[in-house]
C-alpha cells in the first residue's frame, strides 16, 4: 500500500504557533512553537503529565486550543480533517467483524462497495490480519485489536497518522508487530506523529524528538542528536530515568 499526494497536494507542514491550552486556570500546554514536515517520524517524549497526549489531540483537532493556532500550511486541497487519522492506546472496536470495522470506516468516507471490498482485503493482508477477517473484532487479542485499529486508519489513506502510546498495553511480541506495522505505514508515505513512554521504542522509530516538560516544548531535535547529547538538564534527567513527573 502506498500513500500519494500527487493529485490533491500535501497538507503539510503542520505549524504550531504559540499553541496554548488552559483548563480551569491551569496552563497545560504553554506556548508551543514547532513545524512538523512530511518526511520525519515525530515522537513526542516527556514525563507523566507533561502534556504529550493533550498536544496530540490539539494537533488532530479533537480539542480546540485556548490560545495560539494549529495550521496546516501545505497547498493540499480538501479538508485537512479528512487527510489525517488517529489511533489511541486502547482502540475502540465496533460490534462487527475485523473486516466490518475497516469497511465501516471506509463507508463513512463515502467509498462504494467495490472500493471498500478491495481496500479491506488489501489492508488486512498488509497488516497480517487477513485470516481474522471474519472474527468478531472484540474477541481479538490486545495486539490484534491494535493492529486492526492501525489497519482501519491506514485504509483511509491518511497523509498524517497520530498515534497515542500505541503499544503501552501490549506484550513484547505484540509491540514488535505494531512497530513493524508503523514502519510499513511510514514507508508508504504517511507522516507519523506519536507519543510513547518507551525510550527504546523512541530510539527505534523516531527521526525527530519533541521533548515536553510541564506543558512546555523544551527540546525539538533530530532523534540521534537528542539521545546522544540532550541540550537541557530536564531531558538529561529524563533519559537517565531520574525525571518521571
Amino acid at each position: 500500500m502506498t500513500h500519494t499526494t500527487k493529485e490533491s497536494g500535501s497538507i503539510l507542514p503542520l505549524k504550531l504557533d504559540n499553541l496554548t491550552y488552559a483548563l480551569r486556570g491551569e496552563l497545560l500546554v504553554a506556548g508551543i512553537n514547532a513545524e512538523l514536515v512530511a518526511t520525519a517520524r515525530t515522537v513526542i517524549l516527556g514525563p507523566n503529565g507533561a502534556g504529550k497526549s493533550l498536544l496530540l489531540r490539539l494537533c488532530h483537532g479533537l480539542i480546540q486550543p485556548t490560545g495560539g493556532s494549529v495550521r496546516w500550511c501545505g497547498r493540499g486541497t480538501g479538508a485537512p480533517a479528512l487527510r489525517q487519522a488517529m489511533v489511541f492506546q486502547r482502540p475502540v472496536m465496533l460490534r462487527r467483524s475485523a473486516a466490518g470495522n475497516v469497511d465501516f470506516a471506509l463507508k463513512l468516507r463515502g467509498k462504494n462497495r467495490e472500493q471498500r471490498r478491495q481496500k479491506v482485503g488489501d489492508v488486512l493482508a498488509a497488516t497480517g490480519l487477513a485470516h481474522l477477517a471474519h472474527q468478531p473484532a472484540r474477541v481479538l487479542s490486545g495486539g490484534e485489536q491494535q493492529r486492526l485499529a492501525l489497519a482501519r486508519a491506514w485504509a483511509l489513506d491518511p497523509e498524517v497518522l497520530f498515534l497515542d502510546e500505541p503499544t503501552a498495553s501490549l506484550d513484547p511480541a505484540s509491540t514488535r508487530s505494531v512497530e513493524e506495522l508503523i514502519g510499513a505505514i511510514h514507508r508508504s508515505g504517511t507522516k507519523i506523529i506519536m507519543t510513547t513512554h518507551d525510550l527504546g521504542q523512541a530510539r527505534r522509530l523516531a527521526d525527530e524528538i519533541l521533548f515536553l516538560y510541564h506543558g512546555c516544548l523544551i527540546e525539538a531535535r533530530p532523534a540521534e542528536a537528542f539521545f546522544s547529547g540532550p541540550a537541557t538538564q530536564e531531558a538529561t534527567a529524563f533519559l537517565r530515568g531520574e525525571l518521571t513527573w
Side-chain angles (χ1 to χ4, degrees):
M1 292 181 57
T2 303
H3 172 81
T4 178
T5 60
K6 288 183 180 179
E7 294 183 0
S8 54
S10 176
I11 60 173
L12 291 163
L14 171 60
K15 290 187 178 181
L16 312 181
D17 296 315
N18 197 32
L19 182 62
T20 301
Y21 184 78
L23 183 64
R24 291 189 288 272
E26 182 179 2
L27 194 59
L28 302 177
V29 169
I32 289 178
N33 294 284
E35 180 173 329
L36 307 183
V37 299
T39 54
R41 291 166 295 181
T42 303
V43 173
I44 303 170
L45 289 177
N48 293 334
K52 302 185 296 296
S53 294
L54 178 56
L55 177 58
L56 215 62
R57 285 161 171 75
L58 286 164
C59 290
H60 188 41
L62 295 179
I63 299 174
Q64 293 303 305
T66 55
S69 64
V70 175
R71 296 189 294 130
W72 298 96
C73 296
R75 297 181 179 180
T77 59
L82 298 179
R83 306 282 298 278
Q84 51 181 299
M86 185 165 179
V87 173
F88 299 90
Q89 177 180 339
R90 297 182 183 278
V92 176
M93 295 288 105
L94 304 175
R95 292 183 181 275
R96 299 166 186 258
S97 66
N101 267 261
V102 179
D103 181 81
F104 184 75
L106 291 166
K107 189 174 183 179
L108 289 179
R109 289 289 176 91
K111 303 299 182 182
N112 64 43
R113 181 173 296 182
E114 179 55 29
Q115 289 173 321
R116 300 197 312 266
R117 185 194 65 78
Q118 182 66 46
K119 181 67 88 170
V120 168
D122 289 347
V123 78
L124 290 182
T127 54
L129 294 172
H131 65 295
L132 299 172
H134 303 296
Q135 290 293 314
R138 292 188 175 184
V139 306
L140 301 181
S141 70
E144 290 165 345
Q145 287 191 4
Q146 193 64 295
R147 282 159 57 203
L148 178 56
L150 286 165
R152 187 171 58 191
W154 197 10
L156 302 178
D157 194 26
E159 185 179 352
V160 180
L161 179 58
F162 294 97
L163 305 172
D164 190 12
E165 299 273 7
T167 64
S169 303
L170 304 182
D171 60 39
S174 296
T175 294
R176 184 168 58 251
S177 294
V178 167
E179 287 183 3
E180 290 172 354
L181 181 49
I182 292 170
I185 295 171
H186 164 67
R187 289 189 296 274
S188 77
T190 294
K191 163 76 174 181
I192 302 293
I193 304 174
M194 66 179 284
T195 65
T196 183
H197 70 282
D198 184 337
L199 289 178
Q201 181 173 81
R203 291 176 186 272
R204 291 188 294 272
L205 297 182
D207 295 310
E208 66 176 358
I209 298 292
L210 302 185
F211 180 71
L212 302 187
Y213 184 62
H214 287 180
C216 297
L217 177 61
I218 63 173
E219 291 203 36
R221 305 177 68 202
E224 184 176 354
F226 177 82
F227 286 114
S228 63
T232 61
Q233 291 182 342
E234 293 87 352
T236 300
F238 177 75
L239 292 178
R240 291 175 177 169
E242 299 168 358
L243 188 69
T244 58
W245 191 265

